[in-house]
Amino acid sequence: MIEAKNLTKKFGNQLVFQDLNFQINQGEFVSLIGPNGSGKTTLIKILMGLEKKTSGTLDFNKKETIGYVPQFRNIDLDYPLSIEQFIRLNLKFTPSFTKRKSNNQKICDILEKTGLTSLKDRPLGLSSGGEKQKAYLAQALLNDPQILILDESTASLDVEVKMQLMDLVAELSHKYHLTVIFITHDYELTKKYTQRVLLFQNKTIKNVNLNNISENMFGKEQ
Ligand SMILES: Nc1ncnc2c1ncn2[C@@H]1O[C@H](COP(=O)(O)OP(=O)(O)OP(=O)(O)O)[C@@H](O)[C@H]1O
Ligand SMILES: [Mg+2]
């Protein structure tokens, strides 16, 4: 379970959010929504220890690991790694033959789960937007995290590829009881895939019932 109590974040004098109180249960698939600059990415950076909170608490079971697909990546056309090599970056180096063998198995499994087996040798830089997103997802899932965070991972994709990716995440979430935090500006995807909505509004977070969400809560896509 993830739990925020009176969590506040300022950058210098700028208040980003104040007194956030919410819980996310194990295995839940929630959307985190709100306008540009409302603090969505900042909140998950605090969760991952990449940014400091100003006050309050944000706790989760530290035995749980987090897989993260960040909002922006710049992969040049001549990026030197293949899809498989890119996913492998998330493995820890080990001199042990047995561990290397089990790592190879892990890679095969995740390529299969994400539908990338036949694309594994394709240079990442030359892959399509959807293929890249699958590779990012595969890398984030490689070490069997209990929590998966998708920061607008579907924003630049066409509708069909968006749905494919979300179907896959929903299936994995269901099968492995994976907690998913989906940061998005997409009303349709939120309605279709997530169970609950956390909305940033007026510098705080509100729980919104899925039946009560409206398009104007989602802010603008960048
Ligand atoms: N390292 C930083 N230093 C100073 N200000 C920052 C920093 N990171 C973020 N901010 C500011 O904090 C606010 C929240 O930013 P954040 O990236 O969390 O928004 P967001 O909700 O993810 O927006 P978007 O929908 O555009 O991705 C913004 O005003 C941003 O400019
Ligand atoms: Mg953001």
Side-chain angles (χ1 to χ4, degrees):
M1 186 178 79
I2 301 166
E3 186 171 36
K5 285 189 186 156
N6 297 321
L7 182 70
T8 297
K9 175 65 186 172
K10 291 179 186 168
F11 284 111
N13 291 330
Q14 184 202 352
L15 176 67
V16 183
F17 48 71
Q18 178 158 250
D19 290 332
L20 304 189
N21 288 288
F22 65 85
Q23 290 182 355
I24 299 173
N25 297 316
Q26 182 67 43
E28 261 196 300
F29 195 144
V30 298
S31 287
L32 184 58
I33 69 169
N36 291 133
S38 55
K40 304 179 295 297
T41 298
T42 301
L43 173 62
I44 54 117
K45 281 190 177 164
I46 295 173
L47 185 67
M48 290 186 299
L50 301 174
E51 196 68 75
K52 285 197 180 121
K53 65 188 183 189
T54 303
S55 60
T57 58
L58 182 59
D59 290 325
F60 67 102
N61 184 347
K62 292 294 182 299
K63 283 192 190 134
E64 296 187 352
T65 55
I66 300 180
Y68 174 47
V69 181
Q71 184 168 13
F72 298 111
R73 287 195 204 243
N74 291 318
I75 301 283
D76 293 331
L77 284 174
D78 57 358
Y79 185 76
L81 301 185
S82 69
I83 286 182
E84 178 182 338
Q85 288 165 335
F86 172 77
I87 297 169
R88 276 185 180 274
L89 294 177
N90 215 11
L91 288 175
K92 286 197 186 77
F93 173 78
T94 167
S96 147
F97 177 74
T98 334
K99 278 191 190 146
R100 292 227 295 256
K101 213 170 150 189
S102 95
N103 281 346
N104 287 341
Q105 191 54 49
K106 260 191 187 175
I107 293 281
C108 281
D109 291 347
I110 202 68
L111 284 167
E112 200 57 43
K113 272 185 199 158
T114 50
L116 288 171
T117 305
S118 62
L119 303 172
K120 67 185 175 63
D121 297 322
R122 181 163 299 177
L124 187 66
L126 300 178
S127 305
S128 75
E131 291 162 358
K132 282 197 190 89
Q133 285 301 338
K134 279 190 189 169
Y136 304 157
L137 181 66
Q139 195 191 56
L141 290 170
L142 187 61
N143 294 314
D144 300 320
Q146 284 74 43
I147 301 167
L148 176 67
I149 298 169
L150 304 171
D151 198 348
E152 305 193 34
S153 305
T154 57
S156 61
L157 305 176
D158 68 51
V159 177
E160 201 178 317
V161 179
K162 272 182 194 179
M163 297 282 185
Q164 271 177 17
L165 210 73
M166 292 300 283
D167 282 340
L168 178 65
V169 173
E171 188 194 321
L172 295 173
S173 163
H174 188 73
K175 256 196 207 160
Y176 304 104
H177 212 57
L178 179 68
T179 306
V180 182
I181 304 175
F182 178 51
I183 301 179
T184 186
H185 292 283
D186 192 314
Y187 171 77
E188 298 296 336
L189 290 183
T190 298
K191 274 233 150 186
K192 179 156 189 236
Y193 289 98
T194 64
Q195 299 158 345
R196 195 156 65 89
V197 171
L198 295 172
L199 165 69
F200 268 106
Q201 202 174 53
N202 303 327
K203 301 203 181 291
T204 190
I205 272 191
K206 290 180 183 165
N207 261 294
V208 186
N209 189 303
L210 264 188
N211 297 321
N212 296 331
I213 60 170
S214 60
E215 293 196 51
N216 63 16
M217 292 173 178
F218 285 77
K220 287 226 168 62
E221 220 160 283
Q222 284 193 331

